[in-house]
Amino acid sequence: MIFFVFILAMIMFYELKIADKNEFISDYISPASTTSINGVFVILVFLSHISQYIKLDGIYDGPYSVLKTNLGQMVVVTFLFYSGYGIMESIKKKGFTYVKDIPFKRFFKLFYHMVIAVLLYVVMNFFLGNAFSFKKTMLAFTGWISIGNSNWYILAVFVVYIITFFSFVVFRKYKYLAVTAVTILSVAYVYLLMRIGKESWYYNTLILYAAGMWYSLLKKYIEAVLMKNDIIYLVTGVMIVALYYYVYLNRVKGIEWYSVWGILFMTLVLMLTMKLKISNRILNFFGSHVFSIYILQRIPMAVLTRIGLNTSHKYAFTLLCFFITIAIAVLYDYFIDKLDGIIYFHCKKNA
């Protein structure tokens, strides 16, 4: 499996740009840059999921197992962080008009995108003979449970959209208070899920969304310090790495440690991208299809597992799942883009 990581590393080096001495990448958190970074991590998510269907017992699987263990849920933190950052940037530019659009243009859009994807799993389960109760199937359309699909991330985004909307409705003119409310409600939701016994991956990186919003508010102050010169940048980087290592060693002690681990991991990603521009057409492709790749990848995994390919030829299984996922993700997004155009064209026309 480590060879797939090497290939990903080679793709990351393609068209890599390094900032000159005492200079920095000014657009490190622009949509183009963040799309590429998300492209890196959605591939890592794929590898993490595929490893659940195969045995990592080969001589070249050990290094990947170590990498996977050390990354944990960090493979998803950029999705949540960049989402929070992007929404806050939009609110800063468009004001309350953007907030009012969240229920329909954000929440509803994500909801029917997910409904269509879950329907594909319903069809898959029918042909594979996987039986799920009507109640469980209906709950799958909320993201609360899974019928074979990856679901926790979608549920998390539903929740943070709701939290964001109500926080900014209440504190309409006070951005810092609104983001404080988003943070407090996100933490409350995390502890609620813990109390009812939900699996840890449903909540242990959720705080990254609020962290992204805070970064949007504080970015100019942070950049004024970090981007002053290379010495300050490097000294800060060494301190963050040392703190990261300490927190990483204690990450299993509780959700508080795990949350700080996620924030520090994202901090290192931000600092890295301030000096290295990791952006190219290949990564942008994957970053542009994050949702579809994420939610559809388990379809080929489930189907090919049923015929036993995961145990007989695990690397062929991995490659086939990868390319089938890309194919159905592209088709899905093509269809969804057409549907979005119809729904939101008429909505805009009637507005």
Side-chain angles (χ1 to χ4, degrees):
M1 287 294 288
I2 196 63
F3 291 115
F4 296 110
V5 178
F6 286 149
I7 293 171
L8 174 59
M10 291 172 63
I11 294 172
M12 291 171 63
F13 277 104
Y14 174 56
E15 296 183 352
L16 177 71
K17 295 179 181 178
I18 304 174
D20 294 331
K21 183 179 179 181
N22 290 321
E23 292 185 4
F24 298 86
I25 308 297
S26 60
D27 64 341
Y28 70 99
I29 200 165
S30 67
S33 296
T34 58
T35 297
S36 279
I37 298 302
N38 279 341
V40 173
F41 283 98
V42 79
I43 294 173
L44 288 173
V45 168
F46 173 86
L47 293 177
S48 178
H49 286 170
I50 202 79
S51 67
Q52 298 170 10
Y53 295 82
I54 61 178
K55 289 184 178 180
L56 297 177
D57 54 1
I59 188 172
Y60 300 112
D61 295 330
Y64 171 72
S65 295
V66 173
L67 175 66
K68 180 187 174 186
T69 299
N70 281 273
L71 284 175
Q73 283 289 96
M74 297 304 102
V75 291
V76 301
V77 297
T78 64
F79 306 149
L80 288 163
F81 183 90
Y82 288 148
S83 179
Y85 173 84
I87 285 180
M88 190 65 242
E89 286 290 293
S90 296
I91 292 173
K92 284 161 59 178
K93 292 174 183 176
K94 301 177 183 178
F96 194 67
T97 299
Y98 183 85
V99 175
K100 290 190 296 184
D101 286 339
I102 288 176
F104 187 60
K105 292 186 177 179
R106 283 282 184 170
F107 186 95
F108 176 69
K109 180 183 282 189
L110 176 63
F111 175 71
Y112 75 75
H113 287 190
M114 185 198 68
V115 166
I116 294 171
V118 172
L119 283 173
L120 295 177
Y121 280 89
V122 171
V123 173
M124 180 199 75
N125 288 325
F126 173 78
F127 283 105
L128 292 182
N130 298 329
F132 291 97
S133 67
F134 178 79
K135 179 181 177 180
K136 191 168 185 179
T137 301
M138 290 299 101
L139 283 174
F141 288 103
T142 68
W144 185 251
I145 64 171
S146 167
I147 55 171
N149 57 298
S150 296
N151 64 305
W152 75 264
Y153 177 75
I154 309 303
L155 176 64
V157 176
F158 280 153
V159 171
V160 293
Y161 281 172
I162 294 170
I163 287 174
T164 300
F165 176 72
F166 283 106
S167 295
F168 278 88
V169 166
V170 173
F171 300 104
R172 179 172 177 174
K173 297 180 180 180
Y174 306 97
K175 295 183 180 65
Y176 283 89
L177 284 177
V179 176
T180 299
V182 170
T183 306
I184 293 172
L185 291 173
S186 296
V187 171
Y189 175 70
V190 167
Y191 283 112
L192 173 64
L193 291 187
M194 291 176 65
R195 186 172 183 82
I196 64 178
K198 206 67 173 169
E199 293 87 345
S200 62
W201 56 82
Y202 276 84
Y203 55 79
N204 58 17
T205 55
L206 190 78
I207 197 62
L208 268 296
Y209 175 86
M213 301 191 88
W214 280 114
Y215 192 76
S216 172
L217 292 177
L218 303 174
K219 182 181 68 168
K220 63 180 180 180
Y221 307 110
I222 296 170
E223 290 179 349
V225 175
L226 288 181
M227 293 183 169
K228 190 171 185 179
N229 57 57
D230 284 351
I231 293 177
I232 293 176
Y233 172 84
L234 289 172
V235 170
T236 304
V238 170
M239 293 171 61
I240 295 297
V241 168
L243 183 59
Y244 175 89
Y245 180 68
Y246 175 73
V247 173
Y248 171 79
L249 294 178
N250 292 278
R251 68 196 187 283
V252 297
K253 290 184 176 180
I255 185 59
E256 298 81 9
W257 287 93
Y258 206 98
S259 297
V260 175
W261 177 34
I263 291 170
L264 290 173
F265 182 90
M266 190 64 224
T267 300
L268 292 176
V269 171
L270 289 171
M271 293 191 68
L272 182 69
T273 54
M274 287 178 181
K275 273 294 184 180
L276 302 178
K277 188 174 181 61
I278 305 170
S279 181
N280 57 60
R281 289 165 291 178
I282 300 172
L283 293 178
N284 271 320
F285 169 81
F286 288 102
S288 298
H289 297 280
V290 164
F291 176 83
S292 53
I293 290 174
Y294 168 78
I295 201 166
L296 298 176
Q297 60 187 248
R298 291 189 184 272
I299 292 178
M301 293 176 190
V303 173
L304 294 178
T305 294
R306 178 58 62 91
I307 65 176
L309 190 63
N310 61 318
T311 54
S312 60
H313 298 90
K314 64 181 180 182
Y315 297 121
F317 171 79
T318 300
L319 287 171
L320 270 176
C321 286
F322 183 73
F323 289 115
I324 293 172
T325 296
I326 293 173
I328 60 177
V330 170
L331 289 172
Y332 171 89
D333 283 337
Y334 175 81
F335 171 76
I336 286 294
D337 286 345
K338 296 293 185 183
L339 185 58
D340 287 347
I342 294 170
I343 293 174
Y344 289 97
F345 171 78
H346 286 294
C347 174
K348 185 176 181 181
K349 186 177 180 181
N350 295 328

